[in-house]
Amino acid sequence: MYHRIWTAGNIVLIVVSIVYIWFLRPHDSSLVITSQLFAQLGVLLFFININMYFIFLVIRKTSIRKIKIRLAKFSRVLMKWHIKIAVLGTTVMIGHAAINLYEIGPLIGYSHLKLLSGYLSIILLAVTLGAGYRRHKKASGFRKKFHRYTALTFLISFLIHMFTPI
């Protein structure tokens, strides 16, 4: 039951982000359009990685053996790509941030709420990546929890940034 709600929530967030980025925030500048493309790709990549938490939660909580087995097999494959997806997503987000600081920053001001929430999101992303790196090097219960909490905090900050109007 929960996995259906989570899946529906993910689909809704992705569709809403597509509509918001491409239809409610159109731009004429090719650089800003590139930035929007980077933002959309970053959204997809980070949603893939954040969903790792949900996959493991369903594996722990469900009593249906077929679902546990299917998700365990899927998670083994996805975990091999988790770090690569995070690095690619971070690279894309840095490109998005650089273009927006260059193009939009001078127009709206560098202390605009949209940019401030972007700064916070980049900082939280760096903390999440650092926590993930430390967890990868030497796993412990604390490092696992810290990485998970920083990732969820980053997700909240990232969603606030995404939906903050200019």
Side-chain angles (χ1 to χ4, degrees):
M1 173 68 175
Y2 294 115
H3 62 281
R4 290 187 179 135
I5 294 170
W6 185 265
T7 303
N10 276 291
I11 291 169
V12 166
L13 275 172
I14 289 171
V15 168
V16 165
S17 73
I18 289 170
V19 168
Y20 181 75
I21 290 170
W22 295 107
F23 298 108
L24 299 179
R25 304 294 316 157
H27 289 280
D28 294 333
S29 167
S30 61
L31 264 178
V32 175
I33 290 171
T34 302
S35 173
Q36 287 177 305
L37 181 62
F38 284 171
Q40 188 66 59
L41 182 60
V43 166
L44 293 173
L45 293 170
F46 286 125
F47 278 177
I48 289 169
N49 268 355
I50 295 245
N51 278 308
M52 288 304 300
Y53 169 71
F54 172 71
I55 290 169
F56 291 129
L57 181 68
V58 171
I59 290 171
R60 266 194 328 271
K61 298 286 184 182
T62 190
S63 60
I64 303 169
R65 183 169 161 68
K66 283 175 104 174
I67 291 176
K68 282 186 180 212
I69 292 170
R70 190 176 313 139
L71 286 177
K73 288 179 181 179
F74 178 71
S75 68
R76 279 191 201 114
V77 172
L78 192 56
M79 277 309 289
K80 292 177 183 176
W81 290 93
H82 184 74
I83 294 172
K84 294 170 184 131
I85 290 170
V87 169
L88 179 60
T90 301
T91 304
V92 165
M93 282 295 140
I94 289 171
H96 166 75
I99 291 170
N100 283 340
L101 283 173
Y102 177 76
E103 283 285 315
I104 295 181
L107 298 175
I108 64 173
Y110 295 101
S111 61
H112 189 277
L113 186 58
K114 182 75 164 183
L115 294 182
L116 292 175
S117 63
Y119 305 150
L120 176 63
S121 294
I122 289 288
I123 290 168
L124 290 172
L125 175 59
V127 172
T128 301
L129 290 173
Y133 177 76
R134 293 194 55 171
R135 181 172 186 253
H136 177 70
K137 288 300 176 188
K138 182 178 185 249
S140 70
F142 173 77
R143 289 180 180 185
K144 178 181 174 181
K145 282 183 183 176
F146 187 69
H147 180 57
R148 180 175 59 232
Y149 290 137
T150 57
L152 293 175
T153 305
F154 164 69
L155 173 65
I156 291 166
S157 170
F158 155 69
L159 289 173
I160 290 170
H161 170 71
M162 187 167 74
F163 293 113
T164 299
I166 293 181

